[in-house]
DNA sequence: ATTCTGACA
DNA sequence: TGTCAGAA
């Protein structure tokens, strides 16, 4: 297919297509004689993906990164394109939902008082701005190169992953899935936790930011469903899961992001859904500790967030850093 | 009639 | 990215 037809069908200009080529996002073949670009099926899919990602606000350079990952996946590429788009659509959907809720709050507040204090308005505006930034794509693919060696790392890095197996076992014990129950593992990585729950009869889905991780996960647990996504934009509709679990992932979030993650988990849970999390946290009431580039959040903060969200919690400290928390909704 | 490259808005 | 020019 030549450029005009592609541009017409994809509703973009020829200039845009050449621009993307110039930026290294796509490389259609060229006819030897006249240098006309020729687009095959894959090029079209690729372009379509670029357009979708662009519309969702991703920068050219981030798109390049995401796409070059896709290139490494041979035949799974089309699937990757679609997952990528699904993932950004969900981000948009969640963001939209939040903004609507924010607006509702303003309307509500407007009904009560005579009006909103200017400060409130600015605060809310600031909130939705922050929301945008925090859901940014930055560094979303950094984990890919770790995928192959992840499991070995877990075994070797005693300091960080000490009591790893015990923590996973405790989650399984606390969640004690009823066969057939549907569970979600956030930041599933190569699926170690999800795999154990599957063994108990749960129907598991896993979300991770890294496609490489998911690929490895898929290899280990073919029956598991995996999707690209993260804590702040879970790629599922409301009320789909009986429980949500997560291990060694929450500490990648800032405190503000963690605050947003809880309602997001609750969103995909059924009304009585439970949450069980194992992660590295600090003991103190104080501020987050920074170690080796990770920011561990005070354990009590998570408990507070959960309890103020209507959960009753139970927890166990595995070692200096590692804690396991179970949260079930009140009544 | 189409497409390409390059320059400039 | 849009637009325009000059060439194939």
């Amino acid at each position: 297919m030549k450029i005009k037809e592609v541009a017409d069908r994809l509703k973009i200009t020829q200039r845009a297509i050449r621009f993307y080529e110039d930026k290294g996002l796509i490389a259609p073949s060229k006819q030897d004689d006249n240098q006309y670009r020729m687009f095959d099926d894959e090029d079209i899919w690729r372009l379509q993906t670029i357009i979708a990602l662009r519309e969702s606000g991703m920068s050219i350079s981030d798109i390049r990164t995401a796409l070059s990952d896709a290139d490494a996946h041979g035949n799974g590429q089309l699937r990757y394109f679609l997952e990528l788009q699904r993932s950004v659509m969900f981000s948009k959907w969640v963001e939209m939902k939040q903004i609507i809720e924010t607006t509702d709050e303003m309307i509500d507040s407007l009904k009560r008082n005579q009006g909103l204090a200017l400060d409130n308005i600015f605060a809310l505006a600031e909130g939705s701005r922050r929301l945008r930034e925090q859901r940014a794509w930055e560094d979303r693919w950094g984990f890919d190169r770790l995928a192959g060696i992840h499991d070995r790392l877990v075994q070797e890095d005693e300091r960080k992953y000490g009591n790893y197996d015990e923590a996973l076992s405790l989650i399984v014990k606390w969640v004690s899935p009823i066969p057939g129950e549907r569970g979600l593992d956030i930041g599933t990585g190569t699926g170690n936790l999800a795999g154990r729950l599957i063994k108990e009869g749960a129907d598991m889905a896993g979300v991770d930011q890294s496609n490489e991780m998911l690929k490895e996960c898929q290899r280990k647990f073919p029956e598991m469903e995996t999707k690209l996504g993260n804590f702040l934009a879970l790629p599922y509709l409301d009320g789909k899961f009986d429980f949500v679990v997560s291990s060694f992932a929450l500490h990648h979030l800032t405190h503000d992001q963690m605050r947003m993650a809880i309602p997001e988990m609750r969103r995909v849970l059924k009304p009585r859904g439970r949450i069980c999390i194992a992660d590295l946290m600090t003991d103190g009431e104080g501020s987050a500790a920074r170690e080796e580039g990770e920011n561990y959040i005070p354990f009590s903060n998570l408990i507070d967030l959960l309890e103020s969200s209507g959960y009753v919690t139970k927890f166990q400290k595995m070692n200096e850093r590692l804690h396991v928390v179970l949260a079930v909704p009140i009544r």
Side-chain angles (χ1 to χ4, degrees), chain A residues 155-171:
Chain A
Q155 295 305 321
E156 289 177 359
D157 192 345
E158 180 62 25
R159 168 131 182 235
K160 189 167 172 185
Y161 289 105
N163 304 97
Y164 181 77
D165 286 327
E166 291 92 323
L168 298 196
S169 296
L170 186 57
I171 291 182

Side-chain angles (χ1 to χ4, degrees), chain A residues 260-299:
Chain A
M260 297 196 293
I262 290 172
E264 180 63 357
M265 286 188 270
R266 181 146 64 171
R267 179 180 68 75
V268 301
L269 279 170
K270 294 177 182 175
R272 300 281 299 122
R274 54 209 190 274
I275 299 173
C276 196
I277 293 170
D279 204 359
L280 305 168
M281 293 171 247
T282 64
D283 275 335
E285 294 283 331
S287 54
R290 297 207 152 271
E291 291 177 14
E292 299 163 28
E294 309 276 17
N295 57 314
Y296 300 137
I297 283 168
F299 170 65

Side-chain angles (χ1 to χ4, degrees), chain A residues 58-117:
Chain A
M58 211 188 291
S59 72
I60 296 288
S61 115
D62 284 346
I63 293 177
R64 186 188 299 115
T65 307
L67 252 34
S68 69
D69 283 342
D71 291 337
H73 293 322
N75 25 349
Q77 213 179 50
L78 174 54
R79 167 74 189 284
Y80 183 94
F81 285 158
L82 293 174
E83 291 286 358
L84 204 52
Q85 290 179 58
R86 195 195 135 93
S87 169
V88 303
M89 284 190 282
F90 254 92
S91 292
K92 274 164 74 173
W93 181 73
V94 170
E95 185 174 311
M96 204 77 78
K97 210 176 146 173
Q98 299 264 4
I99 292 173
I100 289 172
E101 279 164 15
T102 303
T103 311
D104 281 345
E105 282 171 27
M106 293 178 77
I107 291 172
D108 230 42
S109 166
L110 214 50
K111 278 183 189 166
R112 286 174 218 299
N113 320 339
Q114 257 334 34
L116 279 167

Side-chain angles (χ1 to χ4, degrees), chain A residues 21-190:
Chain A
E21 178 180 1
D22 193 43
K23 296 299 176 186
L25 268 44
I26 184 176
S29 62
K30 295 198 179 183
Q31 253 163 3
D32 303 325
D33 43 347
N34 53 19
Q35 289 296 293
Y36 281 17
R37 293 171 178 78
M38 291 302 287
F39 298 82
D40 59 23
D41 287 11
E42 188 194 311
D43 292 326
I44 312 281
W45 275 109
R46 198 181 178 83
L47 266 173
Q48 196 275 334
T49 304
I50 293 170
I51 296 163
L53 299 188
R54 207 63 247 289
E55 281 174 351
S56 80
M58 211 188 291
S59 72
I60 296 288
S61 115
D62 284 346
I63 293 177
R64 186 188 299 115
T65 307
L67 252 34
S68 69
D69 283 342
D71 291 337
H73 293 322
N75 25 349
Q77 213 179 50
L78 174 54
R79 167 74 189 284
Y80 183 94
F81 285 158
L82 293 174
E83 291 286 358
L84 204 52
Q85 290 179 58
R86 195 195 135 93
S87 169
V88 303
M89 284 190 282
F90 254 92
S91 292
K92 274 164 74 173
W93 181 73
V94 170
E95 185 174 311
M96 204 77 78
K97 210 176 146 173
Q98 299 264 4
I99 292 173
I100 289 172
E101 279 164 15
T102 303
T103 311
D104 281 345
E105 282 171 27
M106 293 178 77
I107 291 172
D108 230 42
S109 166
L110 214 50
K111 278 183 189 166
R112 286 174 218 299
N113 320 339
Q114 257 334 34
L116 279 167
L118 226 51
D119 282 352
N120 286 334
I121 298 176
F122 290 143
L124 290 174
E126 172 69 9
S128 62
R129 185 189 63 78
R130 269 216 319 271
L131 232 144
R132 242 177 249 291
E133 289 174 354
Q134 283 171 165
R135 288 182 196 284
W137 288 84
E138 202 182 337
D139 213 10
R140 211 167 154 175
W141 319 98
F143 278 64
D144 274 3
R145 51 203 176 76
L146 290 178
I149 59 172
H150 176 264
D151 284 357
R152 189 164 57 76
L153 219 63
V154 166
Q155 295 305 321
E156 289 177 359
D157 192 345
E158 180 62 25
R159 168 131 182 235
K160 189 167 172 185
Y161 289 105
N163 304 97
Y164 181 77
D165 286 327
E166 291 92 323
L168 298 196
S169 296
L170 186 57
I171 291 182
V172 172
K173 182 180 161 197
W174 277 0
V175 169
S176 56
I178 298 166
E181 271 194 322
R182 187 153 168 75
L184 174 65
D185 182 9
I186 308 176
T188 193
T190 61

Side-chain angles (χ1 to χ4, degrees), chain A residues 207-224:
Chain A
V207 166
D208 202 284
Q209 299 185 149
S210 157
N211 200 52
E212 277 304 315
M213 289 281 197
L214 293 181
K215 200 170 148 196
E216 177 66 8
C217 178
Q218 202 69 186
R219 192 187 61 72
K220 283 164 67 179
F221 308 104
E223 69 274 47
M224 187 175 157

